[in-house]
Amino acid sequence: MRRMTARPANAHQARLLTLLRDGGPNSRAQLGDQVDLSRSKLAVEVDRLLETGLVVADGLAASRGGRRSHNIRLAPGLRFLGVDIGATSVDVAVTNAELEILGHLNQPMDVREGPVAVFEQVLSMAAKLRASGLAEGFDGAGIGVPGPVRFPEGVPVAPPIMPGWDGFPVREALSQELGCPVMVDNDVNLMAMGEQHAGVARSVDDFLCVKIGTGIGCGIVVGGQVHRGATGSAGDIGHIQAVPDGRPCACGNRGCLEAHFSGAALARDAQEAAQQGQSEELAGRLAAHGTLTASDVAAAAVAGDATALGLIREGGNHTGQVIAGLVSFFNPGLVVIGGGVTGLGHTLLAAIRTQVYRQSLPLATGNLPIVLGELGPSAGVIGAARLISDHLFSPA
Amino acid sequence: MRRMTARPANAHQARLLTLLRDGGPNSRAQLGDQVDLSRSKLAVEVDRLLETGLVVADGLAASRGGRRSHNIRLAPGLRFLGVDIGATSVDVAVTNAELEILGHLNQPMDVREGPVAVFEQVLSMAAKLRASGLAEGFDGAGIGVPGPVRFPEGVPVAPPIMPGWDGFPVREALSQELGCPVMVDNDVNLMAMGEQHAGVARSVDDFLCVKIGTGIGCGIVVGGQVHRGATGSAGDIGHIQAVPDGRPCACGNRGCLEAHFSGAALARDAQEAAQQGQSEELAGRLAAHGTLTASDVAAAAVAGDATALGLIREGGNHTGQVIAGLVSFFNPGLVVIGGGVTGLGHTLLAAIRTQVYRQSLPLATGNLPIVLGELGPSAGVIGAARLISDHLFSPA
DNA sequence: CGACTTTCTCCTTTCACAGGACAAAGGGCG
DNA sequence: CGCCCTTTGTCCTGTGAAAGGAGAAAGTCG
């Protein structure tokens, strides 16, 4: 079955599709209010979109005191696939054209097993979603990987935690398998786009989105657009020095932020503390699970464990210190904290806030909200769907 | 005398003006090659520009084997004023429409004397330039101030080193005095624009421009545009922590980069070293001048003084460490080092490069030039002229 | 049932633009 | 010197984009 064969023919059509995506069904009159075109021209463009099948007119809206309007909406059968590959798990979701999640799967996975194995898993998850009746096929897919990406080609480059992925043609391969257009980006950038589209960063044009998972990264949005940098490695803040002559890091340096705080570092520190008898709470969890993760630390912190709280606070201090520097440099309008460790919640947030508000200048922090992301694990897949829809809803 | 009464009426005219500004005189045919318009449409727009007087046709070019072409150029009488207010001196220059400097004055000044006194000085310098026959009047002026600016209004906000300037309507006041449009920006941003227009950053779209003068700042260019941040304080890297629990800074924190390295810090450190008898070279200069400046340290370094070299190297290390973090975060395609301390030259540059190449990941540094600015004190005034010409050469 | 609103369609006019024909102005060559 | 070629610039016409008004369609309210 061939799907979404058409693309918007001009900027007006692209704008209309975007409005319908972000604002849901609209009458022609409502669209006209937002688009600065005459009614006649608007009608022409809407008609052309109707002809292509990208949008449909279904039903009449209730009258608002005059003639009833036709509901114009994006084709209800459009389906996007959002894939968010993390270091230790993968999220796959199906959305409609409005980027609402219709179905979402999460499975553990090890990205180090390489692209072939991971692809197999992703494809089987996508097949499962399709089999459940949520989609007959996909009109496009967005995929995020935990490393730098040469964006135009959709190819990972020199990814530190993904041996075997370097140069693998993710975009081309996935496009072949799924039979639809695919866009690839860094997972952190997708999280930022997700929070921008449907989360705390709605209508914010300049913000930072710090993702603390197995590693640490930062999505940078400038003027509403993701900044990817000269080689696609922008936002790679995990290897900024947080502690002079600090702990050795896998990258060869010492004192990198990631060596002192991240999901992996936190688990390791907690395990050490448990083994050294510093915390009964953590020791109990270690005995129960055999190994500790960031979630165990989060649970221990909720239970009031002082050691867990101390680890979180210390990590937050280091993170906050780095973020303080970024805030001085970039002067964002908002800082979003997200990723796997959002479970650490307000202990972490408080530590970060303290450092940033203390170290950055008042002009930069005066009106600066520092908040947790509100989409959780959905941010990445929504961002992925957003990525491909931005691509498909732009003039061919 | 009324000047430059017209503005481009549409985007085509704006594009043409910009091409003529950056590429010098051109024939209609040459313009057509760069502008993706039909010859007929191009001729219409050029004719309209000729009518407004913004451009003139003077003389015929030599034949290239066919009919001779008319030289189209920007009106030769157009004059822009570029003003660069530093902490301790002020630069004022006149440029033609192609942003070539026709005359340039530099005078010592203390920005802390407040806007009224500084304005008086700037206006008298502008008058002197005008009196020398370089300009009959100004069609626009750009001005840079050493602190954050609310860009749309052209008003400094909370400038740390400029007491008395907070909220002073620089744009409006100067526009009134000069009788022409004025744009205001941070001095560091103007330096970045200058190097982008006529210096080392030509044709680079994403780069950082670190200005080390009395203080330290960083111009951020994203996609060819200066990034000013949510409150106009983007690039304010002088108060990023470079040394944990380091020296106290005027901002109230400890270990700020600016407290450890900047023109002011360097002079202070050199003076201390001289007084403690660590360097005969510096002590001699101190005795001769009564006080030391960064230039003295530069001269001592050139003379081979180990203490001076050590100070520069140490400062470069701190600066390089901060820049390394910014490089990881922002992934620029180029880093430009400029400002008053460029006299420190390659000793400084080497220290910075060492830190950046050592601390940032290979993907970000692999293809990253770190170079000195090539315009020196002209960068700021050229950037100022560029700022106002960008404004005037955009559709009204 | 008539007055008024809101939504949508159709028609005419205006404008932007491309592209070809053509004029102007030169060079090179026999 | 005449002829043909190239380059540059101008003019004209056709086409499509777009605005804006008239009016039809479909409703509400008194």
Side-chain angles (χ1 to χ4, degrees), chain B residues 12 36-41 63 65-68:
Chain B
H12 296 314
D36 197 39
L37 273 180
S38 67
R39 281 172 315 192
S40 43
K41 178 59 180 169
S63 165
R67 173 172 172 177
R68 293 169 66 191

Side-chain angles (χ1 to χ4, degrees), chain A residues 12 36-41 45 48 63 65-68:
Chain A
H12 296 314
D36 198 39
L37 274 181
S38 67
R39 289 180 312 260
S40 43
K41 179 59 182 168
E45 296 299 351
R48 289 185 189 161
S63 165
R67 173 173 171 176
R68 294 168 65 189

